[in-house]
Every structure is written in C-alpha cells, then in structure tokens.
Amino acid sequence: MSDPIHSLSLKKLRDGIHAGNFSVMEATDAYLERIANFNEELNAFITVTRDSAQAQAVEIDNRIRKGELDGAMAGLPYALKDLFCSKDVLTTCGSNMLRNFVSPYDAHVAERLKAAGGVLLGKNNMDEFAMGSSNETSAFGNVRNPWDTDCVPGGSSGGGAATVAARLAPVALGSDTGGSIRQPASFCNITGIKPTYGRISRYGMIAFASSLDQCGPMAPSAEDCAITLNVIAGLDARDSTSVDRPVPDYTATLNDSIDGLKIGLPKEFFAEGLNPQVGAVIERAIKEFEARGAIIKEVTLPNSHLAVPVYYVVAPAECSSNLSRFDGVRFGHRCENPQDLKDLYERSRWEGFGAEVKRRIMIGTYALSAGYYDAYYLKAQKIRRLIQQDFAEAFKDVDVIMGPSAPTTAFKLGAKKDDPIAMYLEDLYTIPVSLAGLPGMTFPIGFAADGLPVGMQLVGNYFEEARMLNIAHQYQLSTDWHTQVPAKFA
Amino acid sequence: MAISEAEVRKVAHLARLAMTEDSVEAYTRNLSNILDLVAQMEAVDTDGVVPMAHPLDMTQRLREDVVTETNHREAYQAVAPETEDGLYLVPKVIE
Amino acid sequence: MEWETVIGLEIHAQLATKSKIFSGSSTAYGAEPNTQASLVDLGMPGVLPVLNKEAVHMAVKFGLAIDAHLAPRSVFARKNYFYPDLPKGYQISQYELPIVGIGHMDIELEDGSIKRIGVTRAHLEEDAGKSLHEDFQGQTGIDLNRAGTPLLEIVSEPDMRNAKEAVAYMKKLHALVRYLGVCDGNMQEGSFRCDANVSVRRPGQPFGTRAEIKNLNSFRFIERAINHEVERQIDIIESGGTVVQETRLYDPDRNETRSMRSKEDANDYRYFPDPDLLPVEITPEFIASVRATLPELPEAKKQRFITQYSLSTYDADMLTQSRDVADYFEAVAQGCGDAKLAANWVNGDLSAALNRTGIEIANAPVAADAFAGLLKRILDNTISGKIAKEVFDAMWNGEGDADSVIDKKGLKQITDTGAIEAMIDEIIAANPKQTEEYRAGKDKLFGFFVGAAMKASKGKANPEQVNAILKQKLAG
C-alpha cells in the first residue's frame, strides 16, 4: 500500500480496513496524528476525542474481525460540528454559553454514525451557534483556511471544512441554515451537501433556526458524501419535521449518465455582486458540463434578491426563541452571584453569548414584538413563499440549477468581522435555497486568479439528492480539483 | 436610525440581555443597518400570499401515548449550575 | 346606582394522558422532584417536541361535547417569556388556530332557568413546572416534573354576571371533563385550575377594565375571590380611581387578591408558529373515530333518567353529577328492578355515607350489585326499609352481603300471619284501657298499637300486615 491513509476516500478506507491492509486503530491514529500536527495552526477542532476514539477503534476492530460489523462506514473516522450533541463529550456550539456543557445524550446523527461503526475523532470549531460566515464568531478562536492561513475557512461549518480540506478527517458533519455547509465547502475546496429540509433528523443538533437548519456531510468527494448520507438520512420519530420517505442508496446512482441533463443558470446569480474571478471559474465549469452533453438554460429567480432580507428576519426570529433556553438554570453559563432572577437571566445571557448571537437575538425579538410582527415576520414568511415559487417555476424547465456558492473566494481574517451586512451578503446565493428548503451542494471546480478555490453550487428539486450526487460524481470522475490538497497538508 | 437606543434597550430587556451602557450605541447602529437591509421587503406586494412557516407541506405526526422515559435526574443535573435535593436552584422568585 | 359584574373564565384542565404532550415522560402526580423530567421536558439543547396523539384525541372529544367548531388544521405557537418553571423560555401553546373553536355550555341558574355560556376556544398547551419557595439558602427550587403535562385551556366568553354563575359554569365544566374521562378533575393536585377575568360596569355601558385573578383552585375560592375583587374594583371607581389592567393573585388565607410582582412587566409574548411542529390535521375520519368513543353526556343522561326511570328532575340531576354515580345508579336500578327505590337510596343513604367517609363512589365498600341485592330484599318484603338501613350499615362495615347480614342478625321480616296475630292479641290483652278508648273513637291511638307491635317484633314484623291485623282485631 503506497497511498497514505489520509489520502484515501471513504470507500478505499473501508475496503483497506476490511481487506486487512490496516486496522481501524491505524486509520484512527493516522488522523489523530495529523490533528496533533496541524490543529494548533488551523484551530479546526474545539475538542479532540483521542482517548474515546482509540477505545472505539479497538472495539470496532474486534467487531469487524468477528464479522459483526460490515457496513460502508464501519471503522471510518469522522468529525462532528460542535453543535451535534455527543454523549459524554463536550458540546460547546462554539459558545461561552456552553463552554463546559458535556452533553448527556447523542444527537440522532451521532447515534447513527456510532451504530454504523464510525470513530469520532473530535468536535469541529464553528461560528457561535452557527451564526456567521467566517468562523470568526466562535468563542474558541477563528479557524484558518488551509489554502491560505491568513484567510477564513468560511462558516459556520468552518472547522469541518478546514478539517476535511487538510485531511484531518475523511469526513465531517456540518449544518447549513443559510449556507453554512456550502459556503465553507467552496472556500476550502471540498464537497458538501445540504439535503432537503427534513431529510436528516435535527434531533440533538443544537437549533439556530428550526425551519432552516439541516445537517449534511462534508468530504473530499460526492461519493464520500453519498456514503455518509446513506447512514444519516431517514425518518426519526423524535423530529416532527423529519420526513417519512424512503431513503435511496445514494451510491447506487453515482454512475448514471448525465447526458441530456438540463442545467438552469439563474441570471440573478451572475449579476452584480459576483466577483468576476469567481464568475470566470464557474463559467468554465459550466462549459465543461455542456461539453459532456448537458443542456444549459437561463432561468430566473426574480425574488432571490429578497432572500437575504427575508432570512435576516426569519432566522433571527426563530433563534431569538430557540436560544431562550440558555438562561443559566439547568445547563450552560451562569453569572457569578446573581442578585435576583432578572440579574441571573440578563447577566448569564449577556456574558454567555457573543456579539453576533446577541445581535440576532435582538433583531429576532424586535421582529416578533407587538406592533412589528406583521411588518417583519409575517411579511418575511410571505416573501419566503414567493422565493419558493420562483424555484418551482424554474424546475419546470430544468433538472438542476447551478451557480456560485459564494460571491467571492475566501477573504482575509478580520476583513468583514466588523461589518455584519457585508458578512450576511456572503450567503447571497445559498440563502434562497435554504428558504425554499431545497437540497443544495457545493463541489470543487478549480481556483480563481488569487489561487483560492471556487466551488460550484448545485441545487436540485426536493429529495433529488441522489441525482445531485450523481452529477457531481460524474464531474469528479473526469476532474481532479476535489483531490487537491494544499501542499503543506498533502 | 431604523431603531432607537430606547427601543434597543427595551428589546435587550425582552430578550433578557444585560445590555451595558457602553454597548448601546454600537448595537443600535448595527441593528439599524440590519433593519435597513430588511426594509427591502417593504417594496414587495404580498397581498394574498400565504405565509410559509415550513419548507415542506406536511402535517404533524402524532406519537402514541406511551411512557418511554425513565429517571435520569443525576445525569441531567450533572450539567446544572446549581441544584439541591433534586431541585434546580434560582434566586428567590417573588410572585 | 347599580354595578354589573362581568366575568370570563380561563380554565386549565390537565389532560389525563399517560405521557406528556411532547415527550414520553410520565405525567403521574407526586414523584420525586425532576425524576419525570426528560431531556425534552428540560429543554436541553437540541431536543425537539413530538405531539401526543391522545392529547389531540381528548381535545377533540371535549370539542364535540361542547358542540364546538373543530379546526381542520390547527397550529402550535410559541409563547415567549422567561420564568424559571418554563424551561425553554417559551411555552408551546396555540394562538391563532386553536384546535377547538367556538362552542357553548348551558348552566342552570338558582331560579331554575338555563343560561348559555359561550366558549370562545379551547387550545392545547404544555404545563409549566413548579417553583418551590421553601428556603433553599434564600433561593427558590424548581421541579420540572409537571413541565410538559398536557393542558386544555378552555376560554369562556365574558358571559357570566356574578360569582355564582361563574361557579355554576366551572362546576359544569368540571363534571363534563370528568365525564369525558379527559381530566381527573383533581383540584387539590392542580389538575383543574381556573383564572378569572373580572370587571365591573354600569349596565348597558361598555366593558370595564379587567383584572385577571389567578390561583382559583376550589369552587369556594372562586366565589369568594370574585366577590372580593368586585368589591375592590367598585371601591376604586366609587372613590374616583381607575381600575388597572393587571394580574392578581388570590390569597385564600387572607381572602384577598394582590397584584403579582412577577407579572409586573407588561408582557410581550411574541407568539409565532412553532417551527419544530407542523400543522395538526383533524380529518373527518378522526373526528368520527373520536365521536364513537364519546360517552352519553350529562344533560342527555339526565333527560334519559327522567323519561326512562320516571325520576324527578332533582333526582336525575343529582345522579348525573358524575359518570361514576350515574353508572352506579343504573347498575343498582337494573339489578333490583326498581329505579325509584334505587334513586332514593343512592341519593340518600349511600350519598350520606360517601360524604361522611370521603370515599369516592368507585371505591365504595358496597358495590352496585351488592347494593341491588339489599334493595331486592326490601322489594320482596324480606326486610323493611328501616331494617334495610341497619343492613346497609353492616354491609358498609364489611360484614358481608345483604342476605348474610340479614341471616346473621336475624333481621328477616316476620310475615307469618299467625305469629303476628298472636303477638297482637297479647298487646291488646296487655293494654285494655287503650283498647277501650280506641274502640270509643280515639283513632289517634292506632299509632300506639303499631309502635308496640313493631317494638315487640324488634322492627321485624311486616308493617303492612301489622296494620291490617291490628285494624281487624281492634275493630273487635
């Protein structure tokens, strides 16, 4: 075996383990060693679960040897964004509020991965409560982009994106509320998919905005994502919004032909606001699809320019309520010597939450308060419907929609930190998809003139994840963008 | 400013955030900028549009009325800031 | 000038489900603190609610019973406020689209007339936990066992005009929810609670400013608290002041209401649809399936008792106060074959014994079939009504069924004409003076002879036979 473990795809890792080329423990140690070497620089992990990972590895090696465990993820190491509750493991959500919160239970996806024989390497850094697009709102320090450590990795799943880009884990689970998987995937040259809202249970995923949050895998390739999605997708009775609908084998259709595929390009996604360098990479990739037999059509999403305003009402409104449970009573940060109940609440929350989280709580509180509800919340919900209808119209003419995942490549640390609006506009192209609840993914398509990666956003109709993964996989069969790793982390 | 300092203080209180005096100005500015962004919605005619609360048009699944939970008080209170005799403690509540 | 009182009630009935409304925790009362508080009940980060089907079923059942509109789609909303017994910082409730819409309840006023009280709505929501104010180093203790218990909040129109009407409405509702089996009605344990919105006005004028009185957890308190509050408001207005809209807490020990400090903040609940829950669909099929489980309602049962058993309105009313009493009565009536006798005994001696001992009828030491056995012995002349009381007491004390008590105590009625004649002959012989006076026309003395005969037989002689034989013998 010549290829180092960290360069292997999930499939090859699994096959290597089952062929006896290396043990689960060896694979686990290989990644733990990389984390030990590189995490200090990248700050991609808040918690590394070295001891429990090694203990799990021993157990899983035994079970595989005994033939008890044979699944596609048996023995595969993975990382979780630190908003997935992990039993007996620190689960911080990137916040001082939960700095010491050792979760008493496992999130649904954590249970599924455990049951499949995965090995948890650790918990990824993230924007606080998943609110941010640069990972700079984390209470545990910013994450650095492996492609340029002076740049942000994107957010809010920035820790996971950097982890996968630097091959500190073969796969990481992220979450996406307005672009938090797709935008960092674009910035870090990895593949990530946010499935249809409801496809994966949200149980145990600490909520930001409940009607938008969706978990998804981040990995080098579409095939890796398909393998992971097979394990985590499906009905969970504990989440009322989880959909009762059969889960296809996402790996089974990866090799289907994409000949005659109708790709829609929303003209609004190629208008002002898109960095021309990024636009050029996108257009080149579109041409490649065309050359492979795809039919390119322009479509229109006339209300998409309203998506960011709508999102900044809906998401904060939901978050203002979701984050009320952090009150210093049953878990989380409690202020010193509270004078009375009001003091307990107000200081615990003021101290526990960072500035961006507080901004969003206040915007949401304001939007829901008496006299403003109709003008903000109700209005936003109505425009959300219009945005959904735009997509429905577009999908009458095309199979999938493609466009940029983000208007720029990764920007410098600190560049937008003090300008919330500039930061919010990072998610210009991903937010409309989230509002509609549609599946969206990002896959690497090359590098802009600044040398930084660019990802293509691919949007499918509801529950079309298999088709999307198939399209990205076909592209990846003939390109090697997704296998490129920054020289330092090769 | 789309929102006044007084409103910011009121909202902070509703959200139980101990807004410090030296933060009021910055929050007012930031929140105003966000509300200016949001104000783009005003121009849209939404008469007759049904508000969308959920991305999917589904109805609530119902659970059978069965007791499935057992007592895990010790584990759950291990993460609590302050407990006594199985109770969570808070500063005295006056009704 | 006259004042008119306007009262609307908000009643919280805990639904008698086994598990909580959004979690699989037990709803049993009285467990050790926080031992029935699951991850969901505690509002742990990441947890989600899943609606209990039985709670929906019960709400629909109640809606059908008050002839209410049932929403084909109802929506759960979050009511946002901070309080330590509210773990999530919001209560999952219903706001714009409650499951039960407009309905009504008829109450009987003291003069016997019927008044219809409008029910505005009834919605499902979760109960909060409990704050324990005993001193924990100057702190308050929070027990979240009750958090998440399903509640049906039943909101009336401001249709009641005095405290007695409010009590009548509340009692009627209390009987109804127990009839339906949707709430155990235990007011001491807080299963059935009431808040009253009270205002006063000059007749014909618009509604006055109302105060909401909380903590009205007995029928007695509600009447006293409302009367007290009415007086307070009239005093304020008559001395030139204005009533403030506020929440007041009733203190039964002092019989007064006081402003609640914890509710001082003008609340802005910021209701919005709960994104963790989807609209609840109530299909015609579901309604039909619930309707099939609907028991006969108190009013219908009362009318049936009047026609089927020829009972008085009073008796029928008494017997239909609770489903257990009605069921007991019917079993006794059918068992003994004489509904009137059954009604008299159930409303009389049985009811008295239950009241005296505080035992619920369902747990009465004399079960319905045993009771019917006793009444049968009255009907077949084995014992007199008077002796039956003695037998009943013995049965209540666990001394066996009617026949064995009668047998053991030798209480069987004397119906042997020869024996009664012999006894009466002796009495006449022993009282020549009274016999003579009677025969001379002093009819009143007949009672003396009856008494003497019953005494001589220790109450066991059949009274009718005693009468007949006495009449015949005294006639000479």
Side-chain angles (χ1 to χ4, degrees):
Chain A
M1 192 198 74
S2 50
D3 293 335
I5 283 174
H6 72 264
S7 72
L8 301 177
S9 69
L10 286 187
K11 188 168 183 298
K12 284 187 170 157
L13 259 177
R14 190 249 172 218
D15 291 346
I17 290 166
H18 287 259
N21 296 342
F22 45 86
S23 66
V24 176
M25 182 59 95
E26 282 171 288
T28 302
D29 278 341
Y31 282 106
L32 286 171
E33 192 187 329
R34 289 183 67 78
I35 294 170
N37 290 341
F38 297 117
N39 190 48
E40 198 175 347
E41 180 172 11
L42 297 176
N43 196 26
F45 283 86
I46 292 172
T47 303
V48 179
T49 50
R50 168 179 283 274
D51 293 346
S52 65
Q54 287 174 333
Q56 271 177 321
V58 170
E59 188 207 322
I60 292 163
D61 265 327
N62 278 331
R63 290 175 61 196
I64 290 174
R65 214 172 299 127
K66 286 188 208 153
E68 291 170 11
L69 209 54
D70 190 31
M73 284 200 76
L76 303 193
Y78 66 94
L80 289 176
K81 187 175 181 176
D82 210 15
L83 51 48
F84 294 105
C85 284
S86 311
K87 193 173 193 308
D88 301 329
V89 174
L90 196 63
T91 300
T92 69
C93 225
S95 180
N96 280 325
M97 182 57 86
L98 293 176
R99 185 170 281 275
N100 300 310
F101 180 70
V102 176
S103 174
Y105 78 108
D106 266 328
H108 176 76
V109 292
E111 267 178 14
R112 286 270 184 107
L113 287 170
K114 237 182 219 179
V119 176
L120 176 67
L121 296 171
K123 307 291 293 288
N124 285 135
N125 203 343
M126 57 183 282
D127 276 302
E128 184 179 8
F129 282 99
M131 298 175 201
S133 306
S134 67
N135 224 301
E136 292 168 295
T137 71
S138 169
F140 297 82
N142 57 267
V143 176
R144 290 173 183 274
N145 189 322
W147 290 93
D148 178 346
T149 50
D150 289 333
C151 284
V152 303
S156 66
S157 308
T163 290
V164 173
R167 304 299 191 257
L168 307 188
V171 61
L173 291 195
S175 73
D176 188 316
T177 306
S180 285
I181 287 174
R182 291 161 287 165
Q183 184 253 19
S186 179
F187 281 16
C188 292
N189 197 52
I190 63 165
T191 305
I193 181 164
K194 176 204 94 76
T196 308
Y197 179 83
R199 179 73 289 184
I200 302 174
S201 169
R202 295 183 293 116
Y203 186 80
M205 183 170 87
I206 299 177
F208 160 18
S210 312
S211 78
L212 295 156
D213 295 344
Q214 185 60 205
C215 158
M218 305 168 88
S221 73
E223 182 195 56
D224 299 333
C225 288
I227 289 168
T228 312
L229 201 54
N230 274 347
V231 173
I232 60 176
L235 177 68
D236 173 20
R238 297 170 298 187
D239 176 0
S240 298
T241 63
S242 137
V243 178
D244 187 5
R245 184 187 168 107
V247 180
D249 176 355
Y250 294 108
T251 60
T253 47
L254 289 173
N255 289 315
D256 285 5
S257 164
I258 60 165
D259 197 32
L261 177 74
K262 281 183 274 181
I263 301 172
L265 305 181
K267 63 177 188 195
E268 293 80 4
F269 285 16
F270 295 87
E272 198 192 337
L274 178 64
N275 177 307
Q277 289 188 19
V278 172
V281 179
I282 301 274
E283 275 158 36
R284 195 195 62 227
I286 296 289
K287 289 217 166 62
E288 288 166 16
F289 275 102
E290 202 169 11
R292 297 169 56 98
I295 299 153
I296 310 298
K297 291 182 98 172
E298 187 183 88
V299 293
T300 177
L301 302 170
N303 292 291
S304 58
H305 66 290
L306 294 161
V308 173
V310 165
Y311 180 83
Y312 279 96
V313 172
V314 172
E318 293 181 8
C319 107
S320 73
S321 177
N322 283 336
L323 270 58
S324 291
R325 70 191 60 203
F326 301 101
D327 59 5
V329 177
R330 297 163 317 287
F331 45 77
H333 176 72
R334 179 182 209 145
C335 67
E336 293 284 333
N337 302 317
Q339 298 306 299
D340 54 25
L341 195 59
K342 179 171 174 283
D343 188 40
L344 167 73
Y345 286 153
E346 296 195 342
R347 271 202 296 132
S348 298
R349 290 167 59 77
W350 182 262
E351 293 164 6
F353 294 134
E356 180 60 22
V357 171
K358 284 185 278 206
R359 274 197 285 273
R360 296 203 195 185
I361 289 174
M362 282 193 268
I363 281 290
T365 302
Y366 181 74
L368 289 174
S369 65
Y372 297 104
Y373 181 87
D374 287 2
Y376 289 111
Y377 188 72
L378 206 60
K379 185 86 181 176
Q381 282 203 325
K382 288 178 176 180
I383 302 175
R384 186 175 181 183
R385 173 83 60 197
L386 297 178
I387 290 166
Q388 185 190 39
Q389 287 168 353
D390 286 352
F391 279 106
E393 276 302 310
F395 279 119
K396 284 178 184 167
D397 295 329
V398 297
D399 301 320
V400 292
I401 287 169
M402 284 191 193
S405 302
T408 63
T409 54
F411 47 88
K412 290 275 188 278
L413 283 162
K416 300 184 179 184
K417 200 165 185 264
D418 300 316
D419 187 352
I421 303 295
M423 194 69 91
Y424 295 173
L425 292 172
E426 267 302 309
D427 297 326
L428 189 63
Y429 308 127
T430 47
I431 283 176
V433 182
S434 296
L435 288 171
L438 290 163
M441 76 182 288
T442 291
F443 56 92
I445 52 167
F447 296 82
D450 60 8
L452 290 170
V454 173
M456 174 78 86
Q457 183 178 206
L458 168 59
V459 182
N461 212 335
Y462 296 106
F463 302 103
E464 288 282 320
E465 291 84 2
R467 183 65 168 154
M468 295 158 66
L469 290 162
N470 158 229
I471 293 163
H473 179 70
Q474 289 303 305
Y475 181 81
Q476 289 175 343
L477 283 179
S478 58
T479 57
D480 66 353
W481 304 115
H482 66 289
T483 62
Q484 297 196 23
V485 179
K488 192 177 186 177
F489 302 96
Chain B
M1 289 281 170
I3 185 169
S4 68
E5 291 196 355
E7 284 176 302
V8 168
R9 285 195 184 88
K10 193 186 141 208
V11 166
H13 171 66
L14 265 180
R16 296 296 184 273
L17 293 167
M19 172 78 70
T20 52
E21 267 315 299
D22 58 350
S23 310
V24 175
E25 192 272 326
Y27 274 97
T28 305
R29 185 163 26 85
N30 280 323
L31 299 191
S32 283
N33 289 343
I34 298 169
L35 291 172
D36 286 342
L37 171 79
V38 163
Q40 287 178 54
M41 297 195 309
E42 286 167 21
V44 188
D45 178 7
T46 52
D47 279 358
V49 179
V50 182
M52 178 174 155
H54 285 282
L56 301 174
D57 188 23
M58 303 193 306
T59 54
Q60 178 64 31
R61 251 195 319 272
L62 302 175
R63 210 189 81 237
E64 291 302 320
D65 182 24
V66 181
V67 175
T68 52
E69 295 290 338
T70 50
N71 175 24
H72 294 291
R73 184 172 77 184
E74 204 178 323
Y76 298 166
Q77 292 196 340
V79 293
E82 200 176 352
T83 59
E84 190 178 309
D85 297 342
L87 295 162
Y88 293 98
L89 295 189
V90 297
K92 197 150 193 65
V93 175
I94 301 149
E95 278 188 316
Chain C
M1 238 210 296
E2 285 286 309
W3 287 100
E4 183 178 56
T5 304
V6 176
I7 304 160
L9 297 184
E10 287 169 18
I11 286 173
H12 289 88
Q14 277 185 352
L15 296 177
T17 55
K18 294 185 200 75
S19 65
K20 291 185 179 177
I21 184 165
F22 297 120
S23 83
S25 299
S26 169
T27 55
Y29 181 83
E32 284 291 301
N34 292 308
T35 54
Q36 287 173 185
S38 68
L39 294 166
V40 172
D41 309 323
L42 294 170
M44 279 282 173
V47 297
L48 297 167
V50 185
L51 183 58
N52 185 337
K53 185 181 188 172
E54 190 59 21
V56 176
H57 187 103
M58 287 178 171
V60 169
K61 202 168 179 181
F62 175 79
L64 289 172
I66 61 161
D67 209 9
H69 172 76
L70 295 169
R73 267 170 98 86
S74 71
V75 168
F76 281 94
R78 294 185 182 177
K79 179 181 182 178
N80 294 283
Y81 65 96
F82 287 89
Y83 208 67
D85 63 14
L86 187 70
K88 299 184 294 298
Y90 59 84
Q91 178 192 31
I92 305 177
S93 180
Q94 295 193 297
Y95 187 54
E96 279 183 336
L97 292 168
I99 188 161
V100 178
I102 292 171
H104 58 82
M105 294 269 298
D106 289 342
I107 58 168
E108 200 167 320
L109 303 183
E110 280 184 325
D111 65 2
S113 63
I114 301 293
K115 179 169 178 174
R116 177 155 287 192
I117 306 295
V119 173
T120 316
R121 58 185 282 163
H123 64 253
L124 284 168
E125 61 183 26
E126 54 180 346
D127 208 344
K130 278 182 184 165
S131 303
L132 302 166
H133 302 296
E134 293 98 71
D135 206 34
F136 295 96
Q137 302 140 29
Q139 304 193 79
T140 291
I142 306 295
D143 174 11
L144 296 170
N145 280 349
R146 197 180 68 175
T149 300
L151 290 178
L152 189 66
E153 178 173 337
I154 305 155
V155 182
S156 85
E157 290 289 306
D159 285 350
M160 287 151 278
R161 291 293 172 268
N162 58 56
K164 283 205 159 34
E165 287 183 15
V167 172
Y169 168 79
M170 194 174 164
K171 280 191 171 161
K172 188 93 187 224
L173 209 55
H174 185 252
L176 178 65
V177 293
R178 292 172 70 209
Y179 245 89
L180 296 171
V182 301
C183 173
D184 69 16
N186 190 325
M187 293 168 84
Q188 254 137 35
E189 292 177 2
S191 304
F192 190 84
R193 318 197 286 267
C194 177
D195 300 337
N197 286 303
V198 179
S199 63
V200 296
R201 65 170 172 186
R202 299 294 187 191
Q205 295 296 302
F207 291 140
T209 305
R210 63 190 161 86
E212 183 182 357
I213 316 171
K214 294 214 170 270
N215 197 27
L216 302 176
N217 300 334
S218 85
F219 296 121
R220 199 156 46 93
F221 291 169
I222 184 175
E223 187 164 354
R224 282 163 51 181
I226 289 172
N227 286 332
H228 167 83
E229 178 60 19
V230 168
E231 272 173 45
R232 190 188 71 88
Q233 291 187 13
I234 293 173
D235 283 351
I236 290 174
I237 300 169
E238 289 186 341
S239 58
T242 45
V243 175
V244 190
Q245 182 163 346
E246 62 179 345
T247 305
R248 299 183 68 84
L249 188 70
Y250 178 65
D251 181 343
D253 297 332
R254 298 179 176 189
N255 186 28
E256 63 176 29
T257 64
R258 62 180 163 84
S259 193
M260 283 181 84
R261 286 184 56 178
S262 56
K263 305 273 173 175
E264 261 173 14
D265 266 324
N267 270 313
D268 184 341
Y269 291 126
R270 289 160 282 135
Y271 281 101
F272 75 107
D274 190 331
D276 288 332
L277 292 160
L278 297 156
V280 178
E281 195 177 22
I282 306 289
T283 60
E285 295 74 40
F286 186 78
I287 293 174
S289 74
V290 177
R291 199 186 289 281
T293 68
L294 211 57
E296 183 182 29
L297 298 178
E299 196 52 42
K301 201 181 277 279
K302 181 176 152 187
Q303 292 310 322
R304 178 168 66 81
F305 280 11
I306 291 170
T307 50
Q308 182 181 340
Y309 299 119
S310 307
L311 299 184
S312 68
T313 309
Y314 174 81
D315 277 345
D317 202 36
M318 293 286 287
L319 292 170
T320 51
Q321 290 300 314
S322 92
R323 204 161 135 190
D324 285 343
V325 172
D327 288 349
Y328 189 99
F329 158 73
E330 288 214 271
V332 175
Q334 272 151 26
C336 77
D338 186 330
K340 268 200 137 125
L341 185 70
N344 288 341
W345 275 85
V346 171
N347 282 338
D349 290 71
L350 177 73
S351 168
L354 292 171
N355 282 339
R356 194 178 63 238
T357 52
I359 294 173
E360 291 287 325
I361 196 161
N363 306 322
V366 182
D369 55 344
F371 204 105
L374 170 64
L375 300 192
K376 269 196 218 158
R377 293 298 159 259
I378 299 177
L379 291 168
D380 68 10
N381 284 330
T382 305
I383 52 172
S384 67
K386 200 167 172 201
I387 291 292
K389 287 175 192 289
E390 191 183 335
V391 179
F392 173 74
D393 286 342
M395 290 167 74
W396 187 271
N397 293 330
E399 294 173 34
D401 64 12
D403 288 338
S404 65
V405 170
I406 292 167
D407 199 43
K408 242 187 299 184
K409 301 202 170 203
L411 296 173
K412 193 166 165 16
Q413 193 161 244
I414 300 163
T415 52
D416 176 350
T417 310
I420 296 173
E421 279 179 348
M423 185 175 72
I424 285 173
D425 286 341
E426 270 179 44
I427 291 167
I428 292 174
N431 297 286
K433 189 168 159 260
Q434 282 85 349
T435 306
E436 200 165 317
E437 281 176 28
Y438 178 82
R439 285 178 177 153
K442 202 168 177 187
D443 290 351
K444 274 199 296 187
L445 277 171
F446 188 72
F448 162 80
F449 289 102
V450 173
M454 293 314 283
K455 195 177 169 191
S457 72
K458 297 194 181 97
K460 291 187 289 186
N462 180 299
E464 280 134 47
Q465 280 173 288
V466 169
N467 277 2
I469 294 167
L470 260 177
K471 276 229 163 86
Q472 181 203 334
K473 298 253 176 196
L474 285 171

